[in-house]
Amino acid sequence: LPTVTISLMIASTRMVKRKVLVRKIDAIETLGCVSVLCSDKTGTLTSGCMTATDIVTYADGFSACRCTGAEWAAPVQNASVLSLAQCGILNNSSKPNREGVMAGSPTEVAIMEACTRVFGDDRMQYQEQNPQVFEIPFNSETKWMLTIHADDLQPGAFRMVLKGAPERVLAMCTCVLNESSTVELSDQRRGEINTHLHKLMSGGRRVLCFAEMRLDGYADDFVFEGSSPEKCNFPMAGFTWVGLIGLEDPPKEGVKDAIAVLDDA
């Protein structure tokens, strides 16, 4: 027992030299037995600066590209890519602050910044032409967010935009956007979407899925109501899958070295 106590005291002295204050000496023994270390990720291991890096859309076949590529910059020729950018701008809770910089959750800001690169100076005009008239906020139970927008250029027409966890959004879709038309969401296409999803996730991406639905023949003053698919006074099934956006929160500088030190300890 004296040998153990002396060993722990020596260890605590060494830790003090490294600016680690030991309050209870038996905590050193516990620390020495650690085999699994749990840590918060966002802002601790990562920089906390979310960035949209990848998109997946369909145009006579699924295609994936980087958000830094020519496919994701104005002027966009691919109608499916443009529709994904429209959804990312409309279904978004970030707002400009007094300095004109987008503020909100890192995920929402990252999507808005990426989609703005597609629209450029036309982004605010597009938002004004498609004002939001209803919203079901994201919650941990449904894992999606829904917004409904009026079309100022087409009276009585509304556009619903759904964004959220891919498995939840995909389950509410029956079609896939194919540029200016749609195709059936067959089992094969569903499998291809999941293949792209798993590839992005295995690369450390956070992936959000976007879908839309057009509502026609409604009165301009129609009052949308409901907080879940069962309680809504409008259809919540039969959405058209638009695309995936993958986001990355890069690791902080020095994290790799810190993990290596822990691994060798």
Side-chain angles (χ1 to χ4, degrees), residues 219-260:
D220 291 340
D221 59 351
F222 181 83
V223 179
F224 293 92
E225 298 176 344
S227 57
S228 65
E230 299 78 18
K231 298 179 180 179
C232 291
N233 63 345
F234 52 90
M236 282 292 291
F239 280 85
T240 298
W241 182 90
V242 178
L244 304 175
I245 294 183
L247 303 109
E248 180 182 42
D249 188 3
K252 276 185 178 178
E253 186 177 351
V255 166
K256 185 177 181 180
D257 295 335
I259 292 176

Side-chain angles (χ1 to χ4, degrees), residues 202-221:
S202 64
R205 305 291 192 270
R206 181 188 180 189
V207 184
L208 290 176
C209 183
F210 289 81
E212 66 177 8
M213 185 191 298
R214 304 281 180 170
L215 299 176
D216 296 311
Y218 284 71
D220 291 340
D221 59 351

Side-chain angles (χ1 to χ4, degrees), residues 125-131 133 149-158:
Q125 180 182 355
Y126 184 76
Q127 288 177 305
E128 292 172 357
Q129 291 176 346
N130 297 269
V133 297
H149 305 265
D151 188 341
D152 282 355
L153 302 179
Q154 187 177 351
F158 296 89

